[in-house]
């Protein structure tokens, strides 16, 4: 069985209020994207496909992959305008794999245990995602902000990446998504599977350390996590 990881690093990170894309901002002296790539490098993953911003391929090849000896990065492909475009390009570059693990490069702290749980879950169920149970009460509102319902917190999860799939399931789901052309509300890969295949997606335990860097405050938290690693 061949296991491939698609690591997404094509976002602009406008909420970081920086001219430098967040995936290249430094964390403890290394570009942010290096941390996730290193975790996949040291895991059971056979191949890493790095999806970058268009025109950034050579920079990543030289300053990320080459400089940090990330030998499992076999392909560097340019991403698209939206996240789903970038994922689809990554999937087309991973045609010969059996399982695929899709991860946001802005999450620097996936760990070996998360990857093993992803593998076990994907092999058993075919479609799964990392997540953590929410700590706070969640409210569903209407367009004006009025509360419509309060879901039972026991069944509400905060979803993370990696999201892991049998390649045949996720490729079929994305093929159908692009055939239909309805991308409204698509925010993650599990949602693509849910919408196009009506396929159940299993949630497995992620980690509270597996944060996503979306704002300057997140980078401060990441620095503290890194210090304690």
């Amino acid at each position: 069985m061949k296991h491939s990881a698609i690591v997404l690093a094509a976002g602009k990170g406008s909420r970081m209020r920086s001219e430098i894309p967040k995936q290249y901002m430094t964390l403890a002296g290394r570009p942010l994207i290096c941390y996730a790539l290193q975790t996949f490098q040291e895991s059971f993953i056979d191949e890493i496909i790095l999806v970058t911003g268009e025109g950034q391929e050579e920079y990543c090849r030289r300053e990320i992959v080459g400089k940090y000896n990330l030998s499992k990065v076999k392909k560097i492909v340019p991403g698209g305008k939206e996240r789903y475009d970038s994922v689809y390009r990554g999937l087309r570059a991973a045609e010969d794999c059996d399982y695929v693990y899709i991860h946001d490069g802005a999450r620097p702290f996936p760990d070996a245990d998360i990857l093993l749980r992803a593998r076990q879950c994907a092999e058993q169920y075919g479609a799964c995602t990392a997540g953590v149970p929410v700590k706070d009460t969640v409210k569903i509102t209407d367009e004006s902000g009025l509360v419509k319902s309060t879901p039972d917190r026991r069944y509400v999860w905060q979803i993370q990446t990696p999201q892991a799939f049998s390649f045949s399931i996720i490729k079929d789901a994305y093929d159908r998504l692009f055939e239909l052309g309805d991308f409204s509300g698509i925010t993650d890969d599990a949602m693509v599977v849910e919408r196009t295949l009506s396929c159940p997606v299993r949630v497995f335990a992620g980690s509270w350390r597996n944060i996503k860097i979306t704002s300057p405050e997140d980078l401060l938290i990441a620095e503290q996590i890194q210090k304690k690693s």
Side-chain angles (χ1 to χ4, degrees), residues 85-110:
D85 295 310
S86 296
V87 172
Y88 199 33
R89 293 185 183 188
L91 288 171
R92 291 201 298 269
E95 289 283 1
D96 61 342
C97 74
D98 298 288
Y99 291 94
V100 63
Y101 304 74
I102 304 172
H103 186 70
D104 293 327
R107 291 187 187 273
F109 303 123

Side-chain angles (χ1 to χ4, degrees), residues 77-170:
V77 299
K81 182 178 179 182
E82 303 294 342
R83 184 186 185 279
Y84 46 77
D85 295 310
S86 296
V87 172
Y88 199 33
R89 293 185 183 188
L91 288 171
R92 291 201 298 269
E95 289 283 1
D96 61 342
C97 74
D98 298 288
Y99 291 94
V100 63
Y101 304 74
I102 304 172
H103 186 70
D104 293 327
R107 291 187 187 273
F109 303 123
D111 58 36
D113 289 338
I114 291 176
L115 296 190
L116 286 173
R117 289 194 291 272
R119 177 176 182 168
Q120 292 165 358
C121 203
E123 289 178 347
Q124 184 173 358
Y125 298 103
C128 61
T129 177
V132 288
V134 298
K135 296 179 178 180
D136 301 314
T137 298
V138 174
K139 300 287 186 182
I140 306 299
T141 71
D142 61 16
E143 294 83 353
S144 65
L146 291 175
V147 172
K148 303 299 291 184
S149 64
T150 304
D152 189 330
R153 194 168 62 184
R154 292 176 297 170
Y155 307 114
V156 181
W157 290 73
Q158 182 176 317
I159 296 305
Q160 303 177 337
T161 63
Q163 299 189 351
F165 308 89
S166 160
F167 182 78
S168 60
I169 288 177
I170 191 64

